[in-house]
Amino acid sequence: QVQLQQSGPGLMKPSQTLSLTCAISGDSVSSNSATWNWIRQSPSSGLEWLGRTYYRSRWYNDYAVSVKSRISINPDTSKNQFSLQLNSVTPEDTAVYYCARFRSTIGVDVWGQGTTVTVSS
Amino acid sequence: DIVMTQSPDSLAVSLGERATINCKSSQSVLYNSNNKNYLAWYQQRSGQPPKLLISWASTRESGVPDRFSGSGSGTDFTLTISSLQAEDVAVYYCQQYYGSPPHTFGQGTKLEFK
């Protein structure tokens, strides 16, 4: 059974860098049949895909246009996990952040437990 | 980006009655080469992450009760719960996963008891 365990702070001040980690059990971050994603959810924006990392003979990343200048998603093969960094956060980045496994044959089939991130001065 | 629009935004149904949720995509999510619709449905209970119910527009995931069914093709899709149970109260989302990201979600439909 694949599980994703998120960790990271929940309260931030504007202009800080958000850092979250997602530890994978039951699968590999280097899997050739999955991509590893960050998705956030807020009342104003609903479910919003932020970006992904995946391995297909080499590592690839894709990011949403809305955050492309501020985001970085990186795999850590030694710990079988991946991370999210979002720079220069504002109150508009307040949301529940999920890590998730996506497979092109079915969609997002595994979700982390979610981390509530609040950006406030 | 493909825009997903669900209707209605909220729905109140009596226990044991049928619930129907619609999802419309701004462009077709049917891949002609394999005749598959790249459309998924999720259930999100309060305080939980979304849970995948249906993929390929109509294929139930393992363990999903058969009262849940998906239908449709191209740009118009429907999730039907044939006989509402207490544990079905949740928000339901459709998502297209056609081609490259972003694989966009609908805005959600809140299902409640009448």
Side-chain angles (χ1 to χ4, degrees), chain B:
Chain B
D1 297 352
I2 298 176
V3 177
M4 307 300 289
T5 304
Q6 294 181 227
S7 62
D9 289 335
S10 63
L11 181 61
V13 175
S14 300
L15 200 64
E17 296 298 305
R18 177 186 298 262
T20 302
I21 299 169
N22 300 302
C23 175
K24 188 174 185 66
S25 58
S26 61
Q27 63 189 71
S28 177
V29 298
L30 172 64
Y31 194 42
N32 290 327
S33 67
N34 60 9
N35 201 36
K36 286 186 178 291
N37 289 282
Y38 285 64
L39 189 285
W41 287 98
Y42 301 85
Q43 174 193 65
Q44 187 176 31
R45 296 185 176 122
S46 180
Q48 300 286 322
K51 172 190 172 184
L52 179 64
L53 294 178
I54 288 172
S55 58
W56 301 127
S58 61
T59 302
R60 269 192 308 275
E61 293 305 296
S62 175
V64 175
D66 61 6
R67 64 180 180 272
F68 290 90
S69 63
S71 62
S73 185
T75 61
D76 293 281
F77 301 92
T78 300
L79 174 69
T80 300
I81 307 172
S82 61
S83 176
L84 190 72
Q85 303 301 303
E87 62 267 30
D88 300 337
V89 169
V91 180
Y92 292 84
Y93 295 92
C94 60
Q95 182 204 23
Q96 62 79 18
Y97 52 102
Y98 184 89
S100 298
H103 297 135
T104 45
F105 293 87
Q107 81 277 17
T109 295
K110 186 175 184 179
L111 179 57
E112 302 172 304
F113 281 129
K114 184 184 287 185

